[in-house]
Amino acid sequence: MVVENKRIPLATPTMHGEENDYIKEAFERNWIAPLGFNCDGFESEMSAYLTENGEYSCLCLNAGTAALHLAVKLAGVKRGDKVLCSDMTFAATVNPVTYEGGVPVFIDSECETWNMDPCALELAFKKYPDAKAVMLAHLYGTPAKMDEIKEICDRHGAVLIEDAAEALAADYKDKKCGTFGKYGVLSFNGNKIITTSGGGMLICENESDRKKALFWATQARENFPWYQHEEIGYNYRMSNVVAGIGRGQLLHLEEHRDKKEEIYRTYEEAFKYLPVTMNPYLKDSKPNFWLSCMLIDEGCPVDPMDIMDKLAKENIEARPIWKPMHMQPVFEGYDFITANGEDVGKDIFERGLCLPSDIKMTEEEQKRVIDTIKSCF
Ligand SMILES: *Cc1c(COP(=O)(O)O)cnc(C)c1O
């Protein structure tokens, strides 16, 4: 009998049981509607997780993208305003800028974290001194160079929005990702470090901003006995059932992070003698290692797409690095700023590959991944 190799996925949800208890309570109390006690609980528990004194106001929403959109609105981005955006990221970082008529300007990555290059950001402010906001993503759970980026944003009076969708539980100099910007965004999409099946959260410095975001997320319904509307609104709220999954998951966040790191360390050790490095991070930061990625050395003739194909034949899922936004047809014609004429994002895209990082992956399964990759060199 031929035994099929069991599929090894990139990243899938990992449930624990407590999620069910919170959902059950929602059913028992017939609180299935949006908002409710699980949403309140998830928000305050997340706030307490992010800072010791829970000084940030969190708002549950139905997607990270919704949170990004509301952050762009709160930042006051209007038609024609320039927003300086991470270039190598998921399109969801940038799309919400355009919902408000903002004009993205793409900022190249640096090699030390693969995130927004502060030198390129500084150059972009020289060219666009009136840029309204900076949209920064922490790629694959690796914190960006926050000291430099925050200083540049402050000096130019631009609002910093932090897309921490991939970076929950990562920190930079002992401060959690998502709490550096005026607004932070989390995602609980199915493949993230914790999931609610789908959902997101907006992190605000001020409670008044949270209130405004909740108002927009609730169809901008004014406080009248009848349905009174004075602004355009959205239906962006999270359901009380979904928030229950999040509360159960949050109990296991640190455990997920530790397993992700173990996976990364195993790859790192296994590739020691290959012409390959792992996705890099700063020594004074602590990534959440959401996805382990490899980068093939410059000049090495091995093509990451061939590795991906070979893995696929073994029923192993790998994925290319996020294709930079300035290379996307939909954003053709938008400006792209590099630090010294070199296109760092394109280079990483062409030499990199995201590897299976599912925390349910066994030692034997990861060995299968590693052996397959080694056989490509
Ligand atoms: C997943 C992700 C998002 C979008 O979050 P959703 O909850 O899927 O809307 C935004 N930005 C980045 C960098 C992401 O990885």
Side-chain angles (χ1 to χ4, degrees):
M1 196 178 76
V2 180
V3 181
E4 276 279 319
N5 269 337
K6 196 173 149 243
R7 180 160 179 78
I8 303 178
L10 199 75
T12 60
T14 302
M15 293 293 134
H16 302 275
E18 288 97 333
E19 297 88 352
N20 241 325
D21 302 335
Y22 288 110
I23 293 176
K24 203 161 155 238
E25 194 186 346
F27 273 75
E28 279 167 2
R29 293 169 63 180
N30 196 33
W31 208 307
I32 309 301
L35 308 180
F37 59 89
N38 275 333
C39 292
D40 298 343
F42 193 26
E43 287 168 359
S44 57
E45 285 148 18
M46 183 62 80
S47 179
Y49 171 78
L50 290 172
T51 58
E52 226 165 279
N53 304 316
E55 58 250 53
Y56 287 82
S57 301
C58 295
L59 176 65
C60 287
L61 295 164
N62 61 9
T65 308
L68 285 160
H69 182 196
L70 296 179
V72 168
K73 272 180 82 80
L74 285 166
V77 173
K78 298 275 179 330
R79 188 154 298 282
D81 285 341
K82 297 283 190 300
V83 177
L84 311 180
C85 299
S86 286
D87 175 56
M88 192 166 66
T89 180
F90 184 35
T93 307
V94 177
N95 283 336
V97 170
T98 69
Y99 300 169
E100 292 301 310
V103 180
V105 172
F106 299 116
I107 311 299
D108 198 9
S109 303
E110 34 80 3
C111 312
E112 288 169 286
T113 74
W114 295 4
N115 290 306
M116 185 184 278
D117 183 347
C119 299
L121 181 63
E122 186 70 65
L123 286 176
F125 272 113
K126 288 222 167 72
K127 191 163 175 188
Y128 302 105
D130 296 332
K132 191 90 187 194
V134 169
M135 179 63 96
L136 169 101
H138 301 283
L139 207 72
Y140 301 126
T142 302
K145 295 186 171 176
M146 288 319 300
D147 281 349
E148 291 88 337
I149 286 168
K150 219 172 141 41
E151 189 275 323
I152 294 169
C153 289
D154 290 346
R155 185 153 38 81
H156 291 92
V159 178
L160 175 62
I161 304 172
E162 225 188 321
D163 180 353
E166 301 176 359
L168 174 58
D171 48 61
Y172 173 88
K173 299 188 177 173
D174 293 325
K175 191 170 155 68
K176 292 263 179 307
C177 286
T179 64
F180 287 89
K182 184 153 191 214
Y183 307 108
V185 168
L186 301 174
S187 167
F188 313 113
N189 188 35
N191 61 0
K192 297 295 188 327
I193 192 153
I194 62 169
T195 181
T196 59
S197 76
M201 207 176 267
L202 178 66
I203 305 164
C204 299
E205 259 179 13
N206 306 314
E207 175 59 24
S208 59
D209 281 341
R210 179 193 174 276
K211 277 215 179 78
K212 187 76 203 193
L214 175 60
F215 166 76
W216 283 326
T218 320
Q219 304 287 17
R221 192 179 161 190
E222 302 286 345
N223 192 15
F224 281 76
W226 53 87
Y227 283 83
Q228 173 92 1
H229 300 283
E230 297 169 11
E231 285 185 64
I232 297 296
Y234 308 88
N235 182 4
Y236 278 173
R237 293 168 312 174
M238 180 183 274
S239 116
N240 194 47
V241 177
V242 159
I245 306 176
R247 294 181 81 182
Q249 286 270 287
L250 189 53
L251 300 171
H252 296 272
L253 175 57
E254 289 299 311
E255 174 191 326
H256 285 199
R257 199 211 78 91
D258 292 347
K259 286 195 178 146
K260 291 276 190 190
E261 176 162 6
E262 253 175 62
I263 291 169
Y264 178 98
R265 299 286 168 222
T266 304
Y267 283 129
E268 190 180 41
E269 179 65 27
F271 298 156
K272 246 177 27 200
Y273 303 108
L274 290 186
V276 156
T277 50
M278 295 299 292
N279 45 332
Y281 59 92
L282 301 174
K283 286 289 156 284
D284 46 10
S285 78
K286 196 174 131 240
N288 71 3
F289 300 98
W290 172 56
L291 287 188
S292 286
C293 308
M294 59 184 266
L295 187 71
I296 298 173
D297 287 357
E298 242 169 302
C300 173
V302 176
D303 184 340
M305 288 308 101
D306 293 340
I307 300 180
M308 192 170 86
D309 290 345
K310 189 131 187 211
L311 289 166
K313 284 200 188 84
E314 299 293 324
N315 210 11
I316 298 167
E317 185 184 12
R319 218 178 270 175
I321 301 294
W322 296 125
K323 184 174 177 179
M325 292 300 112
H326 80 278
M327 297 170 71
Q328 299 288 356
V330 70
F331 293 121
E332 213 184 302
Y334 288 86
D335 204 359
F336 169 58
I337 312 274
T338 63
N340 49 21
E342 275 170 45
D343 190 335
V344 175
K346 179 168 182 278
D347 178 47
I348 295 171
F349 170 65
E350 287 171 350
R351 291 194 286 127
L353 190 65
C354 301
L355 303 178
S357 308
D358 193 296
I359 58 174
K360 293 178 295 318
M361 180 164 62
T362 63
E363 245 174 79
E364 296 74 51
E365 285 171 333
Q366 191 171 4
K367 188 165 181 309
R368 242 177 75 205
V369 178
I370 288 165
D371 289 344
T372 308
I373 292 171
K374 280 186 170 166
S375 74
C376 298
F377 287 88

